[in-house]
Amino acid sequence: MVRSCNARAVANLGIASALALFLGACGGGISLPSFSSSSAAPEPGVEPEMPASIRADEIVGRWGLASFQNPNDRTRTEVQAKAQCKQPYVIGAGTSAA
């Protein structure tokens, strides 16, 4: 005879197994019928790609980082950026022609 706590554990295991089988069938490539009457909307067309405003060869070189919000800070920021030119970010030309 099965005790009640064992019966509950067996029932929980059975429910978990059934749920796992049901959810596993959803991703396994099984196609379930659709009950809706509407047809699928067509995919929108691909929008044309916008042309780049900066060419790739224009960014090749040695660059530093500087930023200012107030126009009065421009000269101070430029002086500090020039002082940091010993550690520039170097951007080289890539090998692909994309």
Side-chain angles (χ1 to χ4, degrees):
M1 184 161 125
V2 178
R3 292 177 33 195
S4 65
C5 64
N6 287 341
R8 181 172 290 186
V10 171
N12 286 340
L13 182 61
I15 291 171
S17 298
L19 184 61
L21 286 172
F22 177 73
L23 291 177
C26 292
I30 298 173
S31 177
L32 299 175
S34 174
F35 295 110
S36 64
S37 61
S38 64
S39 62
E43 292 184 18
V46 177
E47 294 183 21
E49 188 174 317
M50 293 184 64
S53 61
I54 300 173
R55 292 188 326 266
D57 61 339
E58 292 177 331
I59 63 170
V60 173
R62 298 166 55 96
W63 297 91
L65 297 178
S67 174
F68 62 93
Q69 299 293 323
N70 186 351
N72 296 334
D73 291 338
R74 180 176 181 154
T75 55
R76 180 183 58 83
T77 304
E78 287 177 350
V79 169
Q80 290 179 347
K82 287 179 184 177
Q84 296 176 6
C85 283
K86 297 174 188 168
Q87 299 174 337
Y89 285 93
V90 179
I91 301 175
T95 57
S96 67

